[in-house]
Amino acid sequence: MKLNKQQIINKIEATQIRNDLPTFKSGDEIKVHSKIIEGSKTRIQKLSGIVIRVRGSGLNKTFILRRETAGINSEISFTINNPNIVKIEVVKLGKVRRNYISYMRQRHGKSARIKSGKKSTTETNA
């Protein structure tokens, strides 16, 4: 069987993709536990915020986390398969219509809330 370059790359990437992380989309509120190395010490830092964008696929899948701390907004970009990400927790599901919710950058406080995207567990069959 003859393999081309892209098939070889896909086989190697398949071994490096992490399967232990939950699935999430833009609008969800998540908590990221990331490993921070300061000199010879390592610690785990928890960052919580709203996912503004998820893009890419495979090893190149990235997401942007937006958080507000003491009235100051910051955005942090992560690659999902980064070995420094210890754990990701989905705190709340959000219901948005877009894949990239850049309009959240102009919003603060109550106007920055996103509707809950909870699915109903009781479905009626008609």
Side-chain angles (χ1 to χ4, degrees), residues 15-103:
T15 62
Q16 298 175 351
I17 292 177
R18 293 178 64 173
N19 296 323
D20 60 337
L21 300 176
T23 58
F24 55 88
K25 56 183 177 35
S26 60
D28 293 350
E29 187 175 335
I30 64 171
K31 203 179 281 188
V32 179
H33 300 255
S34 63
K35 192 187 306 181
I36 304 292
I37 300 169
E38 296 173 338
S40 62
K41 297 179 182 179
T42 61
R43 64 183 174 89
I44 294 176
Q45 183 176 16
K46 298 174 192 170
L47 302 168
S48 62
I50 296 173
V51 178
I52 288 190
R53 175 172 61 187
V54 179
R55 86 186 309 188
S57 64
L59 276 181
N60 300 323
K61 192 169 187 179
T62 61
F63 66 96
I64 298 175
L65 183 75
R66 181 173 177 79
R67 58 190 299 241
E68 183 174 350
T69 309
I72 299 170
N73 294 312
S74 61
E75 293 182 6
I76 305 156
S77 180
F78 290 101
T79 55
I80 289 182
N81 295 297
N82 188 350
N84 289 332
I85 292 179
V86 178
K87 183 167 83 170
I88 294 177
E89 297 176 30
V90 178
V91 178
K92 188 170 71 171
L93 298 175
K95 182 180 177 185
V96 293
R97 293 172 142 194
R98 298 181 183 196
N99 190 25
Y100 180 33
I101 49 176
S102 61
Y103 60 85

Side-chain angles (χ1 to χ4, degrees), residues 66 68 73 103-113:
R66 181 173 177 79
E68 183 174 350
N73 294 312
Y103 60 85
M104 292 298 288
R105 290 183 173 143
Q106 287 82 28
R107 300 193 181 198
H108 304 284
K110 277 190 174 181
S111 67
R113 288 185 293 184

